Amino acid sequence: TEERRIEAVYRVMRDCQEASTFDAIVEMAANILCWDAPMGENSIGDQERLELITNIVLPPEDIDRMTGRAVIVTQHLTQCIINRRNLEFLASKEVKAIETFFKYLDLPDINIVVHTLDL
């Protein structure tokens, strides 16, 4: 079913080890978040939008994986927040983006800090 496929996407976001795999799945999610439905078609629902953003932002426990993912997250979210609805969800407390971004700012890589501050 469609629900199982969506859950599989979230599972890959949470569990993948390689930054390149994470980048590919987040790029797909970002494209969905930025997609404008043609006239007469429905866009994704608010719940799906919230879950996509939450799963993109969710930091892994492992510091090395977080370091590998941080620039990917900030680059894709920078594109996504052009859509006001995405920005509203990103700013919501339940996404915990602020907490994640502060974790990024504590990482030793200056590129991560710069990308996080740009976002």
Side-chain angles (χ1 to χ4, degrees), residues 85-100:
R85 199 76 188 121
N86 293 334
L87 179 59
E88 290 169 355
F89 280 113
L90 183 63
S92 69
K93 287 183 181 181
E94 59 195 297
V95 171
K96 299 181 181 176
I98 300 301
E99 292 91 336
T100 298

Side-chain angles (χ1 to χ4, degrees), residues 7 14-15 18 21 24 33 37 51-52 56 58 65 77 87 89-90 94 100 104 107 111:
E7 188 53 44
R14 286 188 306 264
D15 299 339
E18 297 295 323
T21 303
L33 288 166
E51 288 179 21
L52 279 171
I56 290 171
L58 183 70
R65 284 178 47 212
L77 287 177
L87 179 59
F89 280 113
L90 183 63
E94 59 195 297
T100 298
Y104 291 173
L107 295 171
N111 288 324

Side-chain angles (χ1 to χ4, degrees), residues 66-111:
M66 186 185 325
T67 300
R69 293 178 177 195
V71 171
I72 295 165
V73 170
T74 57
Q75 285 177 336
H76 288 295
L77 287 177
T78 298
Q79 295 171 337
C80 290
I81 61 173
I82 292 169
N83 177 318
R84 181 180 173 90
R85 199 76 188 121
N86 293 334
L87 179 59
E88 290 169 355
F89 280 113
L90 183 63
S92 69
K93 287 183 181 181
E94 59 195 297
V95 171
K96 299 181 181 176
I98 300 301
E99 292 91 336
T100 298
F101 297 154
F102 274 108
K103 289 179 182 180
Y104 291 173
L105 292 173
D106 282 340
L107 295 171
D109 186 332
I110 189 66
N111 288 324

Side-chain angles (χ1 to χ4, degrees), residues 36-47:
D36 288 324
M39 193 83 118
E41 290 187 33
N42 292 331
S43 184
I44 64 171
D46 284 350
Q47 187 59 38

